[in-house]
Amino acid sequence: MSTGMNINIAHPPDLLKKLSRAEIDHRIIEAEEKLSDSLLILGHHYQRDEVFKYADATGDSFALAKIAAKTSAEFIVFCGVHFMAETADIITLTGQKVFLPNIEAGCSLADMADIKKVEEAWQEISANTGDRNIPITYINSNVELKAFCGRNGGIVCTSSNARSALEWAWRKGDRVLFFPDQHLGRNTAYKMGIPLKRMVMWNPEQPHGGNLPEKISRSKIVLWNGYCDVHQHFSKEYVDYLREKYPDINIIAHPECNFEVAQSADYMGSTEYIIKKVRESARGTKWGIGTEKHLVNRLQKQFPEKEIYFLQDYGPECETMSSIRQIHLLFQLENLVECNMINQVSVEDKIKKYALIAINRMLDL
Ligand code: 13P
Ligand code: SF4
């Protein structure tokens, strides 16, 4: 779990667990009405429908960050994961408060790079190459890594602007250190024309990250060895199987998928991009979608006139995204009505200052 402070952690009591869906629904609506304009509920596309339906705004991580930056609501209830709530806290004003209805909702990918190991890698790469290196952190990361990028001339990116972030970085420097998601870095850089032989992967547990120093000197990008396990459920074999079964199928993959899947897909992009492509496609078109199950299930329900398949014979689930249930939202809102600021995500000012620099660079792209 990331290092933003979690204040007043609280879980729904058993009493609430006994309520029927209809009672929960009624009480959520009542609490929303009481909180009125002081409340903004944000919902990521991977949320369960039982929570997603209450969101005032939905989107991918970039869209939600932009909405958080613009809102004047005093309370932002983030139905997503911890790094998203932290980012919202960084870009909102003093006086606005961000809440994560289930504070346990982390991101295993974000946990794969920590500041100590990244600093060690950075020092070694900088000392050995003598070049201008630029750090880029995927938004799915610990807030200290965002601050590291702010302090060291780097930037934050999301899956929808990784290309622009890389262009920005290579205009300023020779090489990028990209963390924590190797797949987003590799898939995006390759699409931009960087050959695999100019990419190296950094394993923090091995000397020189597991590379020969000359190879690092020749590289354009050093990829941290993190990955999202949800997106590793998809395989090229299954893409081939779908293509054989439905020769006119369109394959669309999130850039957190592995290189072979991304290479065999027709389209690659963020959750918002995936939704847009499917929405804008003609009736009767077929889609194989490589991303989390709640989003794919929702698309299947929303577009029954299109044939939508998972990129596996089951839909992989992001368990932490799914850990926010309707009851968590109810408990959060009713506490806010009572002025109990439970489950607040708050980033320390000294980290916030530098993280904001790197986030603002992204917002300015
Ligand atoms: P998006 O930015 O595409 O919404 O992705 C966030 C995420 O966590 C994907 O696993
Ligand atoms: Fe993190 Fe993967 Fe879940 Fe996205 S799907 S929030 S990257 S664990």
Side-chain angles (χ1 to χ4, degrees):
M1 175 75 68
S2 202
T3 50
M5 289 179 290
N6 303 322
I7 305 170
N8 282 341
I9 299 175
H11 300 287
D14 287 344
L15 206 66
L16 284 188
K17 293 179 190 153
K18 296 198 175 105
L19 295 176
S20 69
R21 283 268 167 131
E23 283 169 314
I24 299 175
D25 190 51
H26 175 74
R27 282 172 57 169
I28 289 181
I29 293 168
E30 212 170 55
E32 281 184 310
E33 278 167 9
K34 284 187 187 146
L35 292 162
S36 178
D37 290 347
S38 64
L39 171 71
L40 179 75
I41 302 178
L42 297 179
H44 186 266
H45 295 303
Y46 294 165
Q47 289 292 292
R48 291 174 182 272
D49 285 346
E50 68 182 53
V51 169
F52 192 77
K53 65 180 182 183
Y54 298 107
D56 299 305
T58 61
D60 63 10
S61 44
F62 186 50
L64 293 174
K66 281 193 295 186
I67 294 165
K70 286 209 183 102
T71 184
S72 56
E74 186 185 352
F75 304 135
I76 296 149
V77 174
F78 214 124
C79 298
V81 284
H82 201 274
F83 73 82
M84 296 180 179
E86 274 179 351
T87 304
D89 181 56
I90 293 164
I91 54 187
T92 46
L93 302 172
T94 321
Q96 292 181 290
K97 294 184 173 59
V98 180
F99 305 91
L100 186 63
N102 182 355
I103 216 79
E104 322 276 292
C107 164
S108 53
L109 164 61
D111 293 338
M112 286 184 187
D114 71 73
I115 185 68
K116 196 168 157 285
K117 300 263 186 218
V118 167
E119 267 172 352
E120 279 166 16
W122 175 254
Q123 269 158 22
E124 182 177 340
I125 295 166
S126 305
N128 290 353
T129 61
D131 295 330
R132 176 111 177 91
N133 298 298
I134 308 289
I136 301 186
T137 189
Y138 189 22
I139 196 165
N140 298 39
S141 60
N142 187 306
V143 67
E144 287 183 348
L145 298 182
K146 296 181 176 81
F148 172 86
C149 288
R151 278 198 308 274
N152 290 287
I155 190 167
V156 172
C157 77
T158 73
S159 58
S160 59
N161 56 28
R163 185 186 182 108
S164 313
L166 281 169
E167 278 165 356
W168 176 92
W170 279 319
R171 275 198 302 274
K172 285 168 51 100
D174 309 295
R175 180 181 305 98
V176 168
L177 172 57
F178 191 98
F179 40 84
D181 187 25
Q182 55 171 294
H183 299 295
L184 175 65
R186 184 182 299 110
N187 290 332
T188 312
Y190 191 80
K191 272 203 164 212
M192 294 169 73
I194 307 294
L196 292 178
K197 63 175 192 273
R198 305 286 306 273
M199 304 185 198
V200 295
M201 188 150 81
W202 190 271
N203 177 348
E205 306 310 326
Q206 289 182 12
H208 317 302
N211 302 286
L212 294 171
E214 316 78 85
K215 205 163 172 227
I216 298 175
S217 298
R218 281 198 304 272
S219 70
K220 290 293 288 173
I221 183 164
V222 178
L223 303 163
W224 201 257
N225 67 348
Y227 56 88
C228 162
D229 45 17
V230 178
H231 286 83
Q232 304 321 303
H233 285 260
F234 310 119
S235 62
K236 177 175 179 320
E237 288 68 39
Y238 202 81
V239 173
D240 292 344
Y241 161 78
L242 280 180
R243 287 205 192 276
E244 207 176 305
K245 198 159 176 205
Y246 311 106
D248 54 345
I249 199 165
N250 299 285
I251 304 292
I252 188 162
H254 194 277
E256 287 172 14
C257 292
N258 72 42
F259 184 67
E260 290 70 35
V261 170
Q263 283 305 296
S264 55
D266 302 296
Y267 307 100
M268 182 179 82
S270 74
T271 54
E272 195 77 31
Y273 172 86
I274 291 171
I275 295 167
K276 187 167 180 283
K277 282 308 274 187
V278 174
R279 189 195 304 121
E280 290 173 357
S281 65
R283 283 181 81 84
T285 45
K286 299 186 184 70
W287 291 89
I289 306 183
T291 200
E292 204 267 349
K293 82 166 191 188
H294 290 99
L295 170 53
V296 180
N297 281 336
R298 196 171 297 119
L299 288 171
Q300 285 170 333
K301 275 190 228 148
Q302 247 175 326
F303 302 106
E305 75 286 7
K306 299 173 193 184
E307 282 180 45
I308 295 174
Y309 302 95
F310 289 107
L311 225 55
Q312 192 43 275
D313 48 14
Y314 56 89
E317 176 177 30
C318 176
E319 283 178 20
T320 49
M321 281 276 185
S322 305
S323 71
I324 302 182
R325 310 296 304 248
Q326 209 183 11
I327 198 177
H328 292 97
L329 184 59
L330 170 64
F331 187 55
Q332 183 69 58
L333 297 186
E334 289 194 338
N335 271 279
L336 291 181
V337 169
E338 297 299 321
C339 298
N340 297 328
M341 305 293 126
I342 61 160
N343 299 329
Q344 189 185 344
V345 174
S346 173
V347 176
E348 279 174 72
D349 285 346
K350 64 177 197 296
I351 299 178
K352 204 181 241 187
K353 178 176 154 197
Y354 290 105
L356 184 60
I357 294 173
I359 294 171
N360 277 340
R361 287 183 185 133
M362 170 184 80
L363 295 172
D364 288 346
L365 280 174

